[in-house]
Amino acid sequence: MRALILLLVASAVGASADCSCKYLKWAKCETQGQTCNCTVAVVNNTAHPIDCSTLISKCQAMKAEMFLLTRAAVRSLGKPTEHALTDEDGIYDPVCERNGNFNPKQCNNTNQCWCVNSAGVRRSDMGDLQLKCDAVETYWIRIDLYHRTMKTALNVTNIRTAIETLLQQYKLNTSLIEKVDYNKDRSLIVVDIKKPMGDRTVDLSRMAHYLEKDVKNLTLLTNPNPPVTVGGQPMSFERATVYYVDEKPPTFSMKKLTGGVIAVIVVVALAIIIGLLVLFLIRKRESKMAQVH
Ligand SMILES: *[C@@H]1O[C@H](CO)[C@@H](O)[C@H](O)[C@H]1NC(C)=O
Ligand SMILES: *[C@@H]1O[C@H](CO)[C@@H](O)[C@H](O)[C@H]1NC(C)=O
Ligand SMILES: *[C@@H]1O[C@H](CO)[C@@H](O)[C@H](O)[C@H]1NC(C)=O
Ligand SMILES: *[C@@H]1O[C@H](CO)[C@@H](O)[C@H](O)[C@H]1NC(C)=O
Ligand SMILES: *[C@@H]1O[C@H](CO)[C@@H](O)[C@H](O)[C@H]1NC(C)=O
Ligand SMILES: *[C@@H]1O[C@H](CO)[C@@H](O)[C@H](O)[C@H]1NC(C)=O
């Protein structure tokens, strides 16, 4: 009993000594009694409580980022020309559920709504406020990672080890890494991460979001992760493209999209041309598959 009390006191002291949010640098934390409570400012300028004991859900991280972006927009001079593009990945101010998940229907504070998957990526045509959306889980994520030139000779063996180390930094159980491929000529590493259909214990969108942000040098972490090394050389990445595959195909009305064997939804920097790119990527995929068979 005495040991237990000592332990409790020790953990309370530990919490108060380091009451900060390791997983979201924008969070504000306060010791309240024996707990360290963290919140983050969101668009309507209220403080949104978040759980900083693990990766923050993509929905909540996006909500926090959107607050900063809308605030920055007021201060900035805006677009230099009409055609200037911003790298916001079709970011919007999402509605998050109590557990941090994306609400399946999103409207970005407007009357135009769309359905999203568990990674918050649009999977339907635009609709009005009456739109009905089911919760659809992303169970498979493919990440195309382009690495910068390295002095160490890379091969699929040492790259797999590096990728496992990298993804462990984002709390991924490496048993979910289904495949790691390497294309030397293009400096391209392709990683497939897949969970069993129906699994709701792992949320793949969190690690993908943290990884994407880190590759863009826009880390969400308070203390950035050290780079992974291959043969003692740090490995860094030029860019990453993330593909989301859902348990159910998306419902875009274009025939081409629903006809595919696998429905692939792509998040790209240019959200405006998202439809065209999806088509392109599915074709590419089809030709790649044709080569395999
Ligand atoms: C702080 O967190 C604890 C545990 O999560 C919670 O019970 C308490 O209500 C929170 N306090 C405030 C002021 O939000
Ligand atoms: C602000 O947003 C939060 C959740 O995002 C919501 O619970 C709250 O009611 C909103 N507050 C106002 C004043 O709109
Ligand atoms: C959401 O709204 C913001 C601000 O109103 C806008 O900048 C952004 O482009 C919108 N995003 C989407 C996906 O509609
Ligand atoms: C891969 O490269 C490492 C050196 O980084 C080397 O030790 C290993 O033998 C190579 N493996 C294969 C299969 O070529
Ligand atoms: C990873 O997943 C495997 C298979 O589901 C499980 O046996 C193992 O305990 C998990 N490892 C960790 C560290 O959670
Ligand atoms: C990443 O950002 C940090 C500061 O935000 C900067 O010092 C660093 O040079 C950047 N690295 C790259 C590779 O752009």
Side-chain angles (χ1 to χ4, degrees), residues 199-229:
D199 177 286
R200 296 292 179 270
T201 60
V202 187
D203 170 15
L204 297 180
S205 72
R206 295 188 190 205
M207 66 90 203
H209 189 57
Y210 275 78
L211 172 65
E212 234 183 337
K213 289 291 177 188
D214 278 353
V215 169
K216 288 183 185 156
N217 201 17
L218 298 169
T219 191
L220 302 174
L221 301 167
T222 302
N223 299 305
N225 286 323
V228 297
T229 58

Side-chain angles (χ1 to χ4, degrees), residues 6-293:
L6 275 177
L7 203 76
L8 283 175
V9 169
S11 67
V13 168
S16 63
D18 181 27
C19 179
S20 65
C21 189
K22 192 170 153 196
Y23 295 104
L24 194 61
K25 61 184 178 188
W26 308 310
K28 290 205 166 58
C29 301
E30 255 182 10
T31 310
Q32 283 161 339
Q34 309 242 315
T35 58
C36 172
N37 291 16
C38 301
T39 58
V40 73
V42 299
V43 168
N44 66 14
N45 224 341
T46 52
H48 196 78
I50 51 170
D51 173 9
C52 287
S53 65
T54 186
L55 301 187
I56 308 300
S57 82
K58 183 178 176 184
C59 189
Q60 289 174 335
M62 221 159 109
K63 222 172 158 52
E65 187 180 357
M66 203 57 204
F67 170 74
L68 296 175
L69 284 174
T70 51
R71 259 209 336 198
V74 175
R75 274 198 243 108
S76 108
L77 294 174
K79 288 183 178 190
T81 79
E82 192 196 332
H83 301 291
L85 296 167
T86 50
D87 183 18
E88 283 163 22
D89 298 344
I91 192 176
Y92 53 92
D93 181 36
V95 176
C96 307
E97 293 180 347
R98 200 177 267 277
N99 60 7
N101 288 355
F102 284 93
N103 188 304
K105 184 167 101 179
Q106 296 290 340
C107 310
N108 200 21
N109 303 322
T110 65
N111 293 333
Q112 260 210 321
C113 302
W114 64 92
C115 302
V116 299
N117 58 21
S118 62
V121 180
R122 179 151 82 92
R123 46 169 283 111
S124 78
D125 293 327
M126 301 301 282
D128 59 19
L129 289 169
Q130 262 64 57
L131 185 71
K132 293 272 179 294
C133 300
D134 297 326
V136 178
E137 188 81 5
T138 298
Y139 76 104
W140 174 7
I141 283 184
R142 170 171 296 176
I143 306 173
D144 285 2
L145 270 172
Y146 294 84
H147 70 80
R148 295 207 171 89
T149 315
M150 289 187 68
K151 292 194 195 102
T152 315
L154 298 173
N155 57 44
V156 110
T157 312
N158 57 22
I159 283 184
R160 188 173 172 115
T161 310
I163 292 298
E164 285 181 358
T165 310
L166 176 71
L167 295 181
Q168 273 168 347
Q169 290 180 343
Y170 305 109
K171 303 210 168 283
L172 184 78
N173 183 332
T174 52
S175 71
L176 299 180
I177 302 177
E178 187 171 77
K179 198 149 65 72
V180 178
D181 281 337
Y182 182 48
N183 182 326
K184 198 177 184 128
D185 301 328
R186 297 174 63 204
S187 300
L188 168 63
I189 303 165
V190 180
V191 188
D192 273 326
I193 299 150
K194 208 187 264 188
K195 63 175 187 170
M197 277 211 200
D199 177 286
R200 296 292 179 270
T201 60
V202 187
D203 170 15
L204 297 180
S205 72
R206 295 188 190 205
M207 66 90 203
H209 189 57
Y210 275 78
L211 172 65
E212 234 183 337
K213 289 291 177 188
D214 278 353
V215 169
K216 288 183 185 156
N217 201 17
L218 298 169
T219 191
L220 302 174
L221 301 167
T222 302
N223 299 305
N225 286 323
V228 297
T229 58
V230 180
Q233 300 282 319
M235 178 174 227
S236 68
F237 303 102
E238 212 130 79
R239 65 195 156 93
T241 307
V242 184
Y243 304 83
Y244 302 91
V245 186
D246 296 344
E247 289 182 355
K248 281 196 254 171
T251 62
F252 296 109
S253 53
M254 277 185 289
K255 273 203 188 103
K256 191 78 195 168
L257 283 173
T258 47
V261 187
I262 318 167
V264 179
I265 306 180
V266 187
V267 175
V268 286
L270 312 178
I272 308 153
I273 55 165
I274 194 160
L276 288 174
L277 272 164
V278 170
L279 274 179
F280 168 73
L281 286 160
I282 286 177
R283 287 229 184 93
K284 211 167 98 184
R285 210 191 145 77
E286 277 166 355
S287 63
K288 215 160 146 192
M289 286 176 121
Q291 280 166 21
V292 171
H293 297 302

